[in-house]
Amino acid sequence: MTKISLSRVHFPVTTLGPGQRIGLWVQGCSIHCKGCMSPDTWHRRENGIDITVLMQQLKPCLQEADGITISGGEPFEQRDALQCLLTELRQDFQGDILVYSGYEWDDIHQDILDMNGLIDALITGPYQESAPQTLALRGSDNQQLHCLTSLGKQRFSQYDTQLIDSHKALDLAVDETGRIFLLGIPQRHDMSYLQSWLEQKEQPLKQLKK
C-alpha cells in the first residue's frame, strides 16, 4: 500500500485557487526557502498515511469541493505517492487540481509528462524572499503558473495576472491542538502582523489568570 507523508488537511480553503477547495499540505521539503511560511513542513516523517485511508477521510469533502490544492512541504519529493494520490483523486473527483512545487519546471518536467492529465494547474519555482510579489497565487514573481489541461486553462487563466486587492485575502484555520495556520499567499509582513495581533490578544488573558 502506498503511503504519503502528510502535514495537514483543511476544508474549505478559499485563498489558493477558485471556489471552495480541499487543501493538502505534504510533509517534507529539502528546498528550505528563506522566509517560507510553512517551515514546520520541512522535516520528513517516516510514518505516513495510506492513500486509501486518506481517500476515505476526504470522501465527504470531495462531494462539496470545487477544487483541490496540494502544497507543502514539497509534493515532488514524494513523487510516487503524489502520482498515486492524484490517480485516486481523478477517479472520485471532477473538480480541478492545483499543485505547488518549489522546483523549477525543467527539474520536474519528466514527472509532469508521466502524470499527464492528473494536474490541471501547476505553480513552479522556489519562494524568493527578496523578489517582487505582484502576481496572483504566487508568493514571489519568479514563480510560474502552468495551465496543463483544458480545465486548468478554464479555471486558472484568471490568475495569470497582476495581484489585485481581492487576491490578498487569507484563510485562518485552527487544528485540534490549537495551532493557528494562515492559508493563502501572505504579503511580506502578514505573518509578523498576525504574531503581534495574537500577542495583543494574549495579554488580557494573562491578566485574567493572575
Side-chain angles (χ1 to χ4, degrees):
M1 293 185 180
T2 303
K3 293 186 176 183
I4 189 165
S5 184
L6 199 64
S7 174
R8 50 188 176 266
V9 179
H10 291 294
F11 178 78
V13 177
T14 63
T15 55
L16 290 171
Q20 293 196 112
R21 310 182 68 79
I22 300 170
L24 296 169
W25 282 261
V26 302
Q27 185 71 33
C29 178
S30 64
I31 301 174
H32 295 183
C33 299
K34 182 180 179 182
C36 173
M37 69 174 294
S38 303
D40 58 299
T41 65
W42 288 357
H43 177 68
R44 177 71 180 271
R45 298 176 188 150
E46 291 305 318
N47 60 321
I49 181 171
D50 189 279
I51 288 175
T52 57
V53 174
L54 176 60
M55 289 298 299
Q56 286 298 315
Q57 294 178 359
L58 293 177
K59 193 171 184 178
C61 300
L62 292 173
Q63 298 173 3
E64 300 181 34
D66 300 302
I68 297 171
T69 298
I70 301 175
S71 185
E74 174 48 54
F76 284 89
E77 289 186 2
Q78 301 184 63
R79 185 249 184 241
D80 292 342
L82 175 63
Q83 185 167 2
C84 179
L85 174 61
L86 292 170
T87 301
E88 292 294 323
L89 287 170
R90 281 301 184 202
Q91 294 179 9
D92 293 329
F93 184 63
Q94 302 302 313
D96 69 80
I97 299 176
L98 167 67
V99 178
Y100 278 85
S101 175
Y103 288 105
E104 300 288 1
W105 171 263
D106 289 345
D107 296 327
I108 56 174
H109 182 235
Q110 184 58 52
D111 293 329
I112 300 304
L113 292 177
D114 293 341
M115 299 179 193
N116 183 38
L118 297 179
I119 300 173
D120 295 297
L122 174 70
I123 292 179
T124 59
Y127 171 68
Q128 294 182 357
E129 190 176 36
S130 60
Q133 189 180 33
T134 67
L135 298 175
L137 282 184
R138 281 151 281 191
S140 55
D141 286 1
N142 62 292
Q143 296 176 321
Q144 296 183 343
L145 170 62
H146 310 269
C147 296
L148 304 178
T149 66
S150 57
L151 179 60
K153 292 174 183 176
Q154 175 188 334
R155 305 214 70 195
F156 287 91
S157 58
Q158 62 179 306
Y159 295 100
D160 197 11
T161 184
Q162 294 291 302
L163 191 67
I164 58 177
D165 287 344
S166 62
H167 294 151
K168 296 179 181 179
L170 293 170
D171 290 321
L172 193 66
V174 182
D175 71 5
E176 64 276 3
T177 68
R179 292 186 303 169
I180 296 176
F181 298 96
L182 282 181
L183 311 179
I185 309 296
Q187 301 299 291
R188 288 284 182 258
H189 303 294
D190 284 347
M191 298 298 285
S192 58
Y193 289 155
L194 175 63
Q195 183 176 357
S196 297
W197 182 81
L198 291 173
E199 289 173 351
Q200 291 173 9
K201 297 296 182 182
E202 187 179 17
Q203 291 303 316
L205 293 176
K206 288 183 177 179
Q207 293 174 4
L208 288 173
K209 291 178 180 178
K210 289 182 180 180

